[in-house]
Amino acid sequence: MDYDNEIELVLSSNPKNEAVARVSVSSFIMELNPSMSELTDVRTAVSEAVTNSIIHGYENKKGRIYIKCAIKDRTVYISVEDRGVGIKDVEKAMLPLYTSKPELERSGMGFTVMQTFMDSLEVISEENKGTKVFMEKSISKEVLNETLI
Amino acid sequence: MTVEFSKAGRLLIVIMNGDLDHCSSEEIRYKIEKEYKRINAKNILFDFSNVNFMDSSGIGMIIGRYKKIEINGGKVAVTCINENIRKIFEMSGLFKIIENVDDKNEAIKKFSMGGF
């Protein structure tokens, strides 16, 4: 697709980079003047995807996380990819409250949050190859302040 | 994220400042456990006044504390959560086991009455 704007980020799988990813993607979509709620939805979804890559993809070992973010018209396209262990059963992993690591105090809500906060979510994963998460969200048109019209 | 503690009887009040994500949950978890033991607390109140952002890792951390202290009859409450954080709490069904209170005084009152 011929996007209006794009960015690519490569982050090491350091938990500190969860915040870096959130802030970077938030800044990138600011040009669309999203509402506070839309901005937080995107920020939260990105945080969930990056956290999954760190904890599950790389199991807290060193690796790189590849984030692409693009805008076309008023839709935001985001992919988050790792080259980690992959997911054996994607369908099961996406079930609310399911976690493969109960010993780590995980809520099992990561994919559910991504699904709820974004318009679409697609997860492609292969064992020992890695996982790629695609998400889309359209940002509503700016609401004009009626007093100014 | 930084965390400060205060107490009211055997209620430990955890005042968090910053984003509550996987990274910061890991950081504050041990501090909370340590303080909980140090002051011989029973219940915990998480004060979200200075938390603008939380993802599902925060839910995991709070459920984790709940599971540890409920064995001894301890309860967990939260206060001052913003709209976005409320959405995540509701989504995960956390309000079934954790009370959302208006302020510290309501928590003290409810805990002392053995409420929830």
Side-chain angles (χ1 to χ4, degrees):
Chain A
M1 201 190 298
D2 187 20
Y3 295 112
D4 301 331
N5 198 5
E6 289 173 78
I7 53 163
E8 289 190 29
L9 298 164
V10 183
L11 304 169
S12 75
S13 57
N14 185 323
K16 286 178 188 158
N17 285 335
E18 291 154 12
V20 176
R22 288 199 297 272
V23 172
S24 308
V25 173
S26 300
S27 322
F28 177 70
I29 67 166
M30 281 311 281
E31 66 163 282
L32 297 175
N33 289 322
S35 68
M36 200 56 215
S37 155
E38 288 166 336
L39 185 65
T40 307
D41 287 354
V42 172
R43 216 151 55 113
T44 312
V46 168
S47 195
E48 299 292 352
V50 172
T51 302
N52 274 353
S53 289
I54 293 171
I55 297 176
H56 299 286
Y58 291 118
E59 300 184 303
N60 288 314
K61 294 183 194 85
K62 272 194 176 173
R64 283 175 178 239
I65 299 164
Y66 304 84
I67 301 174
K68 284 186 189 176
C69 192
I71 291 169
K72 175 74 180 170
D73 300 323
R74 293 194 63 81
T75 302
V76 179
Y77 301 84
I78 299 168
S79 69
V80 178
E81 183 181 3
D82 65 64
R83 314 249 160 99
V85 299
I87 303 167
K88 204 173 181 178
D89 186 343
V90 172
E91 221 172 290
K92 193 174 173 187
M94 290 177 78
L95 288 173
L97 304 173
Y98 172 80
T99 177
S100 59
K101 297 193 189 302
E103 72 282 5
L104 291 185
E105 294 192 351
R106 307 302 309 160
S107 68
M109 291 301 290
F111 281 129
T112 307
V113 168
M114 289 182 240
Q115 239 162 358
T116 310
F117 287 0
M118 302 294 280
D119 296 343
S120 73
L121 168 71
E122 191 187 349
V123 183
I124 295 169
S125 190
E126 197 178 329
E127 273 192 279
N128 302 315
K129 286 268 170 77
T131 302
K132 192 168 184 175
V133 168
F134 295 94
M135 300 181 280
E136 285 180 28
K137 188 176 181 74
S138 66
I139 304 298
S140 57
K141 282 218 173 81
E142 291 167 62
V143 182
L144 290 172
N145 189 335
E146 281 177 25
T147 56
L148 296 176
I149 300 171
Chain B
M1 160 169 279
T2 59
V3 65
E4 292 158 49
F5 299 107
S6 92
K7 66 170 198 165
R10 290 188 70 198
L11 172 67
L12 170 65
I13 302 163
V14 181
I15 305 148
M16 301 167 289
N17 304 287
D19 288 1
L20 186 56
D21 61 4
H22 158 244
C23 186
S24 56
S25 291
E26 294 286 314
E27 282 170 13
I28 68 167
R29 170 176 306 153
Y30 300 102
K31 291 181 187 168
I32 296 169
E33 300 251 303
K34 215 171 129 189
E35 187 66 9
Y36 183 83
K37 280 185 192 143
R38 193 184 73 79
I39 67 161
N40 188 29
K42 186 183 176 201
N43 306 307
I44 301 179
L45 172 66
F46 287 94
D47 184 339
F48 279 81
S49 304
N50 302 317
V51 180
N52 182 37
F53 176 87
M54 183 190 80
D55 63 18
S56 74
S57 296
I59 297 287
M61 192 275 288
I62 291 170
I63 295 177
R65 305 286 69 66
Y66 168 82
K67 282 184 179 164
K68 285 217 166 161
I69 71 171
E70 69 142 353
I71 304 163
N72 304 318
K75 307 254 176 160
V76 175
V78 297
T79 189
C80 300
I81 55 171
N82 71 25
E83 216 27 63
N84 297 297
I85 295 174
R86 181 195 304 273
K87 272 206 285 197
I88 298 179
F89 271 97
E90 277 168 356
M91 199 185 293
S92 55
L94 209 62
F95 288 141
K96 288 184 193 128
I97 54 169
I98 284 160
E99 189 86 358
N100 181 17
V101 296
D102 288 341
D103 54 28
K104 183 175 84 179
N105 295 333
E106 191 189 345
I108 294 167
K109 206 171 145 192
K110 288 208 169 177
F111 284 134
S112 64
M113 293 192 313
F116 304 1

